[in-house]
Structure formats: structure tokens, C-alpha cells
Amino acid sequence: KAHFNAPSHLRQKIMSATLSKELRTKYNVRSIPIRRDDEVMVMRGQFKERDGKVTQVYRKKWRIHIERVTRDKVNGQTVPVGIHPSKVVITKIKLDKDRKALLDRKNKATKSKDA
């Protein structure tokens, strides 16, 4: 119940996605919260192996919308298909100072556990 009634700032953290193997070795971090303009690859479901840029993070519905992951409606209109963030892998991160600080912080935490 706490999960589905979570406020937006906690939903961001819950809506995390794993990093690709290359990024995982580069940053020494397993997963980060997803955001707009990250590039992802869908790993499960009908759109498996499809990749694109995240166009929207829909926290209310626990879904993300990705470029080129769309469905045609009967009237000919195309609508984005919502994908759960746990079913995607981040292939390219949109870095800004806050995101870089997050990666450094998580990296330090893992290094201190190893030592």
C-alpha cells in the first residue's frame, strides 16, 4: 500500500532502472533513477530489443514513454506505450552536475563496503 500511495519525490527513487554492463563498469553503480533524455533499451515484453530516448517519466502511472515505442489506435492516431522502468536498461545517461554527484556518491558507498 505504501508503494502505490507514494508521493512523487519517492516515486522517482522507486522508478529506477539498471545501467548497461558498460556503464556499470565505468561508473561502478548498478542502477539510478530514470529521467527524461536518458537513452534506454527495452529488455522485456512486446517491444524487446527496441531502444530510444525517454520522452516522459509518468510517475502517476509508474511508467516511462520512449521514442519509437508507440501503438496505432483504430482512428489512426499513434500513442506512446508505457513501459515499466524495471524492464529497461539505461544505455546512455544524460549527465548534469546533480546526476554526476549522485554517481560519485553511490560509487563511494560501494567502495567503502568493499574495503
Side-chain angles (χ1 to χ4, degrees):
K1 186 174 179 186
H3 178 272
F4 290 105
N5 292 332
S8 182
H9 73 284
L10 294 178
R11 285 182 185 225
Q12 184 200 2
K13 186 125 172 104
I14 298 169
M15 289 177 73
S16 292
T18 54
L19 298 178
S20 66
K21 287 199 168 69
E22 300 84 49
L23 290 176
R24 201 180 293 177
T25 52
K26 183 179 176 184
Y27 294 112
N28 219 5
V29 173
R30 189 174 188 83
S31 68
I32 58 169
I34 203 152
R35 68 164 285 182
R36 207 168 123 203
D37 294 332
D38 280 346
E39 286 184 26
V40 296
M41 179 182 249
V42 182
M43 302 307 281
R44 290 279 181 276
Q46 183 182 346
F47 299 100
K48 190 173 181 178
E49 303 297 315
R50 192 82 64 88
D51 54 353
K53 195 180 273 192
V54 176
T55 54
Q56 182 184 24
V57 179
Y58 206 148
R59 290 187 196 166
K60 187 176 165 68
K61 288 191 175 178
W62 300 98
R63 296 290 181 266
I64 60 171
H65 293 159
I66 304 167
E67 277 178 357
R68 297 187 298 277
V69 178
T70 55
R71 173 175 283 145
D72 293 330
K73 285 171 60 167
V74 179
N75 66 6
Q77 196 178 6
T78 60
V79 290
V81 176
I83 306 274
H84 196 273
S86 69
K87 307 300 177 200
V88 300
V89 161
I90 298 174
T91 52
K92 194 174 172 197
I93 304 174
K94 180 174 193 280
L95 278 178
D96 54 19
K97 65 180 194 329
D98 297 324
R99 214 91 186 279
K100 210 165 189 61
L102 172 82
L103 287 168
D104 292 341
R105 197 167 63 236
K106 283 188 121 180
N107 189 4
K108 280 194 182 104
T110 54
K111 277 188 176 159
S112 64
K113 278 184 190 171
D114 293 343

